[in-house]
Amino acid sequence: MSRLASALLALATVAAVAVAVRPTVDVTATVAFGEGYTPLFGFDNILRSADDRTVSLLLDRSTGSGFISSAMYEHGFFSASIKLPSDYTAGVVVAFYTSNGDVFPKTHDELDFEFLGNIRGKPWRMQTNMYGNGSVSRGREERYVLPFDPTTEFHRYSILWARDAVVFYVDDVPVRNLRRARAGRDFPAKPMSLYATVWDASNWATSGGRYRVNYQYGPFVASFTDLALAGCRAPSPTEEGCADALAASDPAVMTLAKQQAMRQFRERNMVYSYCYDTRRYPVPFPECDLVESERTRFKDSGHRLSLRRRRVGHRPARPGAANKADM
């Protein structure tokens, strides 16, 4: 065998080995609570199922509760099917998020799902947010009314944190896509833990604190199942190549169908956007794609306008006419 042939064979062997050992990310795999998480606070208010696959967090007069992932991650796909408390839930907040605030208090990163309770007859609202490198003065909140009742059955909520993008999913439909190239320094860049909590946010969660938690309707129970931690653990030399595998995983690939589904969800359900909140941010953020036809649906406070109901004997309101904002 010639030297050239031997060299080519050696290179092919190295490439084959590299492909063989390249890590994969199984975003469908779930773990038992004890395999990936540990209680954080309110220990008596954390109830685990017999098979350790479902955990319920309670908020009562004594305390809220929460759990945290046992490891920190540099990137990952974090998911849970969640069922929210029902009936009167004003002031109650259920959160599913990543953060490193305990490790980097002044330069922390964070990716949030926050579910904001409400008075009876009003829907839960879902809020997403992103902070990077301590950008707490530049909140990127978006708020949505969910197109289903999140209290009657479980629905899946997922956070993809890849090197170049963050994508929030609801029942496998992307609802928000933030690109690193446009967010710049505000993009999360340090290892984070995953958290789930339920707590009393009476001072702000419902109508700016107008409606507070009423413990006569408690305890408030949020249940979590199908817990997924498809992440790149930090620090771990064995995770080399994990970020590449994550970037090639299905949640990271934004097909045309996914983009269309995301656009439809946002058009129908988004009721607040920081991109249209010119009171807080006169200069739009670099990642904001401001569309004039969309801008007309939002007030300068960033809250969406509602159409007035047509009443007999009155001229119908023109499209886009202002009414009370969805809060």
Side-chain angles (χ1 to χ4, degrees), residues 13 17 28 30 40 45 65 69 71 78 85 99 126 151 154 175 187 209 223 266 271 287 303 314 318:
T13 301
V17 171
T28 65
T30 62
L40 180 63
N45 280 4
S65 53
S69 60
F78 313 105
S99 179
M126 181 185 75
T151 71
F154 286 91
V175 301
F187 193 86
S223 297
R266 295 168 65 82
V271 295
E287 71 272 12
H303 293 100
H314 289 74
R318 62 178 174 79

Side-chain angles (χ1 to χ4, degrees), residues 270-324:
M270 189 165 69
V271 295
Y272 171 82
S273 172
Y274 70 107
C275 287
Y276 295 108
D277 191 345
T278 56
R279 295 182 188 176
R280 290 175 65 193
Y281 307 115
V283 178
F285 285 53
E287 71 272 12
C288 290
D289 292 318
L290 302 180
V291 181
E292 189 57 35
S293 60
E294 185 174 83
R295 186 200 298 268
T296 60
R297 299 200 297 267
F298 290 85
K299 295 182 178 181
D300 60 1
S301 64
H303 293 100
R304 186 164 182 167
L305 299 167
S306 297
L307 294 179
R308 295 183 187 274
R309 291 184 177 180
R310 183 174 180 176
R311 294 180 294 172
V312 176
H314 289 74
R315 192 170 63 185
R318 62 178 174 79
N323 197 356
K324 186 177 181 180

Side-chain angles (χ1 to χ4, degrees), residues 73-147:
Y73 298 87
E74 291 186 311
H75 301 286
F77 181 78
F78 313 105
S79 182
S81 293
I82 306 172
K83 184 164 67 173
L84 300 175
S86 60
D87 205 354
Y88 186 97
T89 54
V92 178
V93 170
V94 176
F96 182 71
Y97 65 104
T98 65
S99 179
N100 50 30
D102 292 340
V103 181
F104 305 101
K106 295 183 179 180
T107 59
H108 93 284
D109 308 288
E110 191 169 318
L111 298 169
D112 296 327
F113 269 120
E114 289 181 307
F115 304 94
L116 312 179
N118 220 326
I119 60 176
R120 183 184 286 124
K122 297 291 185 179
W124 278 82
R125 294 148 302 148
M126 181 185 75
Q127 180 168 286
T128 62
N129 205 350
M130 180 184 81
Y131 298 110
N133 292 299
S135 58
V136 293
S137 64
R138 299 185 295 279
R140 287 171 159 83
E141 299 99 333
E142 288 188 350
R143 194 171 298 166
Y144 325 82
V145 174
L146 293 168

Side-chain angles (χ1 to χ4, degrees), residues 200-212:
D200 185 330
S202 290
N203 61 330
W204 68 271
T206 306
S207 298
R210 179 181 177 186
Y211 300 100
R212 305 178 65 82

Side-chain angles (χ1 to χ4, degrees), residues 74-76 111 160-167 180 187-188 243 246-247 252:
E74 291 186 311
H75 301 286
L111 298 169
L160 170 76
W161 173 35
R163 270 194 310 231
D164 298 322
V166 166
V167 186
R180 178 174 187 168
F187 193 86
L246 186 69

Side-chain angles (χ1 to χ4, degrees), residues 79-83 154-157 171 223-227:
S79 182
S81 293
I82 306 172
K83 184 164 67 173
F154 286 91
H155 289 270
R156 190 183 189 206
Y157 306 90
D171 286 337
S223 297
F224 299 75
T225 192
D226 298 332
L227 299 166

